[in-house]
Amino acid sequence: MQSRMFIMCRCMGAKAGYKMAPIEQGHRQRILIYSHDTFGLGHLRRCRAIAHKLVETFENASVVIISGSPIIGRFDFADGVDYVRVPGVVKQPDGTYATSNMSLDLEETVQMRRAIIMATARSLKPDLLIVDKEPTGFRDELLPTLHHLRATGTKIVLGLRDVLDETSVIVPEWERKGAIEALRQFYDHVWVYGLPEIHEPLAPFDLPETLRNEIIYTGYLRRELPAESRSTRYPRLTRKPFALVTTGGGGDGEQLIDWVLSAYEHDPDIGIGALFVFGPFIPDARRGSFLERMSRLPNVDAITFDSKIEHLITRSECVIAMGGYNTFCEILSFNKRALIVPRRSPRMEQAIRAERAAELGLVSVLDGTKLETGVNRDPHEMAQAIRQLQNRPKPLESALPSLLDGLETIEITARAWLTGKDPAITAIAG
């Protein structure tokens, strides 16, 4: 694909001893990032990583993230990055949505979100709008802002994770939402935060050639260690080799926690301790039940949440996770052996990613159907998988070219768009 080749050759040049010239003093870039964030941590953490890269690239930049995440305030943001929180919504077990905190019906909440988004865009006057995952926003709340910013000449980019869902689900869903028409009407480019060798999320769609040429596969988003707080105290267990068990936000991770915990109850001599990170959205009652079981195991401990979990991943010997996008990026970035048990509902996203990554030798995988409620999970199977995990190759021993070039690609493309200069010309010897 021509767009991908254009970007990748410049990323490789930058990594081979070149650095980008600094942006001219006095030129102030304004960037707006929209994330609907109805649940979980994935969208927010991806947008935050991109925002930090952009303010690192453009020292005079101002980046505003619009988010519905209820815990956005628990994260640190770099200078130049701020956020506007819109009223939250949550997905119900039956697939419908409701407001999370306010006593308003859903339509009133969407109208309020729509007004806040438009007011933010009018005030910021962004040079670049990055939309995370949903081309028209939650319940079309982004459409008025897209019309406005298209008329003002703002560069508009859709950012997609590497996998959306299986074809039978995502095609009718996007048709119902008018997503492809929105791409034609409003968007200049699509960033796919991954590689086509792993998955092509827009392949199922009948896109015109002009739209296909706007797709840029950036590579995965490399994660760096954030500044570590001097007040951080990790459990004693982390002073020895340990497996980190993480389920992201935790709202859908109870079955994985139960399965791994049962393995340690079944086989206390697995050979490596385990630190569980529950996530902020796990129900209190379930957390309490797990903690009671853990209290009887000498080589198991838990914490609720760590906004700088990168430090725990770095300290760990291996990672056991469900394989969401951000966790996958962290496993690759810190070159950790990983056992992925992907959920298969309500989306197949994690399973598609994990199975392809296993084919490429990047991770180990167990059957995610075992995470469904009421399914019998064999603790011996999990114990054996943990034992074998400690001896498997690390992922970067099987790495694909440009696997972790995502942020560098974003830097180069954004630089070209926002300065009007060819990145090959602005690259200078380092």
Side-chain angles (χ1 to χ4, degrees):
M1 190 170 294
Q2 185 177 4
S3 297
R4 178 176 174 251
M5 291 301 295
F6 174 86
I7 295 302
M8 288 304 172
C9 67
R10 282 159 176 75
C11 281
M12 288 161 55
K15 291 177 70 178
Y18 286 82
K19 64 181 179 181
M20 303 304 292
I23 298 298
E24 297 90 338
Q25 293 294 322
H27 187 78
R28 300 180 181 276
Q29 290 78 17
R30 298 184 177 198
I31 300 162
L32 182 62
I33 301 178
Y34 164 85
S35 175
H36 68 292
D37 267 312
T38 57
F39 186 70
L41 298 176
H43 302 292
L44 170 59
R45 296 185 65 213
R46 182 164 58 244
C47 291
R48 177 173 171 265
I50 293 168
H52 284 187
K53 184 63 176 180
L54 291 171
V55 295
E56 176 188 313
T57 300
F58 307 107
E59 63 181 45
N60 292 313
S62 294
V63 181
V64 175
I65 300 173
I66 295 177
S67 171
S69 172
I71 63 166
I72 190 169
R74 295 174 69 174
F75 287 88
D76 295 332
F77 291 89
D79 291 343
V81 181
D82 211 332
Y83 64 87
V84 172
R85 180 167 184 256
V86 294
V89 295
V90 293
K91 195 170 187 177
Q92 305 296 309
D94 62 1
T96 61
Y97 287 88
T99 56
S100 55
N101 292 316
M102 299 189 303
S103 299
L104 297 175
D105 65 34
L106 184 60
E107 185 53 39
E108 287 180 292
T109 302
V110 172
Q111 289 177 6
M112 186 180 297
R113 287 167 58 106
R114 185 181 295 125
I116 294 170
I117 294 165
M118 175 64 87
T120 304
R122 287 184 179 277
S123 298
L124 184 64
K125 300 180 178 64
D127 302 294
L128 172 63
L129 169 66
I130 302 170
V131 176
D132 185 61
K133 184 179 177 287
E134 295 288 346
T136 64
F138 177 71
R139 298 291 179 101
D140 292 339
E141 66 185 3
L142 194 59
L143 284 176
T145 299
L146 288 171
H147 278 283
H148 169 70
L149 292 181
R150 170 55 65 203
T152 63
T154 297
K155 194 82 167 179
I156 303 177
V157 180
L158 177 66
L160 297 177
R161 66 185 180 223
D162 57 343
V163 184
L164 296 174
D165 205 337
E166 58 186 337
T167 299
S168 62
V169 173
I170 197 62
V171 169
E173 178 182 318
W174 271 38
E175 287 177 350
R176 185 178 70 253
K177 293 179 177 180
I180 299 301
E181 180 55 36
L183 281 179
R184 291 192 182 100
Q185 186 174 357
F186 301 113
Y187 286 85
D188 297 293
H189 287 279
V190 178
W191 282 337
V192 177
Y193 307 128
L195 293 179
E197 291 89 343
I198 292 183
H199 192 70
E200 297 183 64
L202 296 182
F205 297 97
D206 183 19
L207 301 179
E209 189 65 24
T210 53
L211 201 53
R212 287 196 177 277
N213 287 336
E214 295 173 0
I215 302 172
I216 298 171
Y217 287 86
T218 67
Y220 289 89
L221 305 181
R222 185 188 301 274
R223 301 307 164 85
E224 305 291 343
L225 282 177
E228 189 170 13
S229 172
R230 293 183 178 180
S231 62
T232 300
R233 294 291 182 270
Y234 294 119
R236 184 182 299 274
L237 176 146
T238 62
R239 299 175 187 175
K240 297 180 179 181
F242 70 96
L244 181 68
V245 185
T246 174
T247 61
D252 57 0
E254 298 175 33
Q255 309 303 330
L256 177 60
I257 293 172
D258 176 74
W259 196 3
V260 177
L261 188 53
S262 71
Y264 280 86
E265 292 169 329
H266 169 79
D267 185 357
D269 298 321
I270 286 178
I272 189 171
L275 177 66
F276 292 75
V277 181
F278 289 134
F281 300 123
I282 189 171
D284 290 343
R286 289 296 284 155
R287 181 172 59 239
S289 173
F290 288 138
L291 288 173
E292 182 178 350
R293 291 166 62 186
M294 291 176 184
S295 67
R296 297 189 286 270
L297 298 171
N299 57 345
V300 168
D301 209 335
I303 62 174
T304 297
F305 177 63
D306 185 354
S307 64
K308 298 181 179 181
I309 197 171
E310 296 92 342
H311 288 283
L312 280 174
I313 293 174
T314 301
R315 287 168 174 253
S316 71
E317 288 294 307
C318 53
V319 176
I320 303 171
M322 297 167 66
Y325 179 85
N326 289 283
T327 302
F328 185 63
C329 287
E330 289 157 350
I331 288 166
L332 298 179
S333 298
F334 302 114
N335 199 23
K336 293 297 175 179
R337 300 177 177 91
L339 173 63
I340 304 298
V341 190
R343 70 170 185 228
R344 303 180 71 87
S345 64
R347 293 193 179 275
M348 284 288 290
E349 169 225 338
Q350 292 182 357
I352 293 169
R353 178 185 301 113
E355 288 163 9
R356 180 57 181 152
E359 290 173 1
L360 294 170
L362 300 174
V363 299
S364 297
V365 175
L366 284 181
D367 183 5
T369 60
K370 302 289 182 66
L371 298 184
E372 296 174 7
T373 302
V375 173
N376 181 49
R377 291 180 286 274
D378 182 1
H380 177 72
E381 180 184 10
M382 176 60 74
Q384 285 295 100
I386 297 172
R387 286 181 181 278
Q388 294 167 5
L389 177 61
Q390 299 170 62
N391 297 315
R392 68 159 288 116
K394 293 186 176 182
L396 295 191
E397 295 176 21
S398 306
L400 296 169
S402 306
L403 183 66
L404 287 167
D405 282 357
L407 292 175
E408 289 82 0
T409 303
I410 288 170
E411 173 188 355
I412 292 169
T413 54
R415 176 181 292 265
W417 293 340
L418 296 178
T419 66
K421 294 184 178 181
D422 188 314
I425 296 173
T426 57
I428 60 174

